[in-house]
Amino acid sequence: MKVLHIEPEKCTGCLRCEVACSYVQSGEFNPSKSVIRVSAFERGHTSFSPYTCFQCAEGWCMTACPVEAIDISAVGAKEVQDDQCVGCKLCTLACPYGTIFYDPEREKAFKCNLCGGDPQCAHACPTQAITWIEDFTQDWTGAFAAQRSAADLARIGATNGR
Amino acid sequence: MLVTEKKRNQPAGYAGALLRVDLTTGRLWEQPIDDEFARSYVGGTGMGARILYDEVGADVQWNDPENRLILATGPLAGTPTWGSGGLSVVTKGAITGGATSTQANGFFGANIKSSGFDGIVFQGRSDQWVYLYIHNGTAELRDASHLLGLDTWETQDHLYEELGLSGHQLSVYSIGPSGENLIRFAGIQGDYGHVASKNGCGAVMGSKRVKAVAIVRGNRGIYVADPRGVFRTADDIAYQMRTELPGQNFYLIGTLGGVTGLAPVGGLPIKNLTTNILPAEADMSKWEPMELREGFDHRGHQCNACGMHHCHMQVIRDGVHAGDVVDEPEYEGWVGAGWAWGCTDRTKVSWMNTQCDRAGVDVNEFGWVIGWVMECYEKEYLTRQDLGGIQAVWGDADAAYELLQMLCTRQGFGDVLAEGIKRAAEHLGGPAQDCAVYTMKGSSPRGHDHRALWPEMLDTCVSSTGTLESGGPTRPQELGLPATLQVQSPDDVPRQVALTLGRRHFEDSIGTCFFTTSTTIAAIAEAVSAVTGWNYTKDDAMYLGRRTAALMRAFNLRSGIGPELERPSARYGSTPVDGPAAGVSTAPHWDHMLDTWYELVEYDRESGRPLPELLDRLALPEVKAELWG
């Protein structure tokens, strides 16, 4: 099965994935509508990581949805069906990864649907930090984020203690 | 606070408005950008030149409240085109007293458009120090007294914490202590390492008492005319950058190839242009481009949507500053923060380069100032006592850092150095003045030894922008030039500079970085077409560029800057005494090169005025009326 594979070490924080994704989501270049988001660590000087739904096996959003508006698509994406979504936001509370969002203009939840099997973020990424390859899926950024955040916390601690 | 409505009918590719700020009254308002204004002036330098020409009169000095400070981006900003975070700064500058066009990248262009504006026009002067806060179509002047004295990186750190934001959610473009103290070569620095440094634009910002512009990444989308075309043209440019020279060099390694590439042709400035022989202590293997990158712990730090292997952060590995995160110097940083004054220890140079960015000074002029001080110290035109106890020995990075602090705070002789190289040299006069590198307009050259690279010397001297105006032709053939350019030919050089005039202004008007558009003008014009729906061509691009150049030249003539100032200082125009370009000199050819350049750009040789026929062709009747009656 093809998955969206993310290697945070390769990300330079250019946000080109957000620009491309936002076009698919909204028809405009508007990163606030992107469902892939680049997080910055170390004050954004040296560490970035793209972060989006990795289509977890548990499917927390799908389980929580009271109207069964979230399906699994042919390419393995948990996909919001706009005609069924009532905009209750339960899915956004249920998702432990923070990768399903609520659009107040349309009053619908929205998330990564793997662009129907041709993810534009992977096309857009100039450093191959995001690729669309055969692999097992997993939370690609958790360990990286934990390590970088620990470094940040250690630095802040050191500053406060000085 | 200004609160604006989300726009519905803005031109494709534009947020649709310039944010106008009158600092004297505290009033903020929107100046809508309609289709005609967008098509005529595009953005960045093009729009800035028009506003500067229209609104700043002959009697307005650089530090007069009536001066305008324009920070603008263009239609490609925020799109998938590489490097689309562009900022161009236009103002009446503190160095030349004439027009300025200077650029930085980062995320300025992308973030300001997502927050509802294509640019900012400052006028007036604030009573109190302020910073401008912009978010989602709102704008507000906020007290900046707590930011005073902070360097540019600290200012951004502080605003991150104050506003609770991180990474690229917030762009901060600020002045350092140098801009606050009106150092004439102060620049505007943003997003950790991107500096619009030329012609004292930071001093202008300081004179208006604006410490920083803080732009929060907003939620306003950019509507484009042909989205598929935007992706296609962005990918085409990226493909050309990856596979074709000269862009490929920048793609692979940014400008790091400069030191070892220019040394063999005499283009690397060493010790204030006193020699072109590499110092014995310089280990050139450490200056190979890949060594400059791999010799430090490093990480890509790209601008908006950029895939170049250009901007990086690096970590100092050893010495007293071990562990410090710095911005990997550009080629010109390696020179201005080191080679120009004899420091060839790359660790020290790298650290010094970021200190210049943090202080907010132009690293090129810093190099010429420090080089001149060190030469004067060696020749005893300046003593240790003159310098407040500093022993300014060639290559001494500690001395250079002390001089940086001294000039940024205008202490002692720092007050003289703060006026820039030309004024400092004139202050001392005599043989010391003959050692200084500058143009008679007051600007100083970029980080190359132009005595071996004549196009840049001619360009620097005839420029109306306070720095190179034409820039390199990138693809010479498309401008009617031969594929291989002779850089020391009295006939080829003015031809190259003249026929290239306009290209850089176009690139600086569209909201991208000129490194990422090192390809054909036609390819870039196609990207503009896809965003705007204009059917834009190479000829349109050069027309915009020439029009912008004419506006800036007319502005400079109005400001009293004419052809009589178009020559290098004694040292800048001197003959290399040794090295690869020993014995060659522009001096015997200077008038001939000027004659040819004037003829080709269609400016009047005596008065410097763009000729009436040219102004007719450029549809600038008001400029013609002002210049020719």
Side-chain angles (χ1 to χ4, degrees), chain A residues 25-64:
Chain A
Q25 291 294 330
S26 71
E28 294 180 333
F29 296 111
N30 184 355
S32 71
K33 296 285 171 69
S34 172
V35 295
I36 188 162
R37 309 235 164 139
V38 176
S39 299
F41 302 92
E42 299 170 348
R43 288 179 182 259
H45 290 327
T46 48
S47 272
F48 299 92
S49 177
Y51 192 54
T52 189
C53 173
F54 64 95
Q55 318 298 344
C56 69
E58 294 85 349
W60 303 93
C61 56
M62 207 164 67
T63 311

